[in-house]
Amino acid sequence: MNPWIITLIILAVGGVVIFFLYRKGSKLQAEQDEQKQKLQASAQKVTMLVIDKKRLPFKDSGLPQIVIDQSPKRARRVKVPVVKAKVGPKIMSLIADEDVYDQIPVNASIQAMVSGIYITSVNNFRKAPVEKEEKKGLLNKLRGKN
């Protein structure tokens, strides 16, 4: 076979694959935008006292069992940002958005927009200092593992 024909076939297959991935990506993007709009529509402003925040595996996060059962199996092994907070008289475990998680101060009272058990945004109205994690160097990481 002529090498030009093989090259054209490979380019055609590559073009079809790229077109398929573009279409699939645009559909997924539209679904994600729709879900964000639903979250924003159902969000409520809540005042809470943050007790603790950690990144935990989904199954060990302390969330209600029904939430864990409804999640896909592959998502149960992923670490999620979990915030334990006192909302009114109750102590609740909430999931924070990745962008919001670093802004949440520990042991401080904050106002947050909450949609279900999902924290979508934070307003640090008492101006509590936000703790920044220290970056560990390579040697400190190695020493910490021993």
Side-chain angles (χ1 to χ4, degrees), residues 15-73:
V16 168
V17 168
I18 289 174
F19 177 74
F20 173 75
L21 290 175
Y22 173 76
R23 294 290 302 245
K24 187 72 171 171
S26 63
K27 285 182 183 178
L28 290 174
Q29 183 71 30
E31 287 179 13
Q32 184 179 19
D33 291 341
E34 183 180 327
Q35 289 174 353
K36 281 188 179 184
Q37 288 175 353
K38 287 180 183 178
L39 273 177
Q40 294 297 333
S42 64
Q44 298 175 350
K45 189 175 270 192
V46 175
T47 302
M48 63 177 74
L49 175 68
V50 178
I51 298 170
D52 190 23
K53 68 176 191 173
K54 294 181 184 175
R55 291 189 189 272
L56 296 171
F58 200 76
K59 61 182 179 179
D60 300 332
S61 62
L63 295 170
Q65 188 62 36
I66 192 164
V67 174
I68 295 171
D69 292 340
Q70 290 177 351
S71 67
K73 291 198 182 219

Side-chain angles (χ1 to χ4, degrees), residues 110-139:
I110 61 170
Q111 274 188 346
M113 295 299 286
V114 178
S115 179
I117 61 168
Y118 193 72
I119 301 173
T120 57
S121 66
V122 172
N123 183 9
N124 191 1
F125 73 98
R126 296 236 178 138
K127 305 297 182 201
V130 177
E131 297 178 15
K132 293 183 179 177
E133 296 180 13
E134 294 181 21
K135 292 186 177 180
K136 290 186 176 181
L138 180 61
L139 292 176

Side-chain angles (χ1 to χ4, degrees), residues 11 21 42 44 86-87 104 109-110 123 146:
L11 287 175
L21 290 175
S42 64
Q44 298 175 350
K86 183 176 182 184
V87 181
I104 298 174
S109 182
I110 61 170
N123 183 9
N146 291 334

Side-chain angles (χ1 to χ4, degrees), residues 55 78-81 95-103 118-119:
R55 291 189 189 272
V78 175
K79 288 189 176 184
V80 293
I95 298 174
D97 191 21
E98 286 292 335
D99 301 331
V100 174
Y101 180 72
D102 295 330
Q103 299 173 0
Y118 193 72
I119 301 173

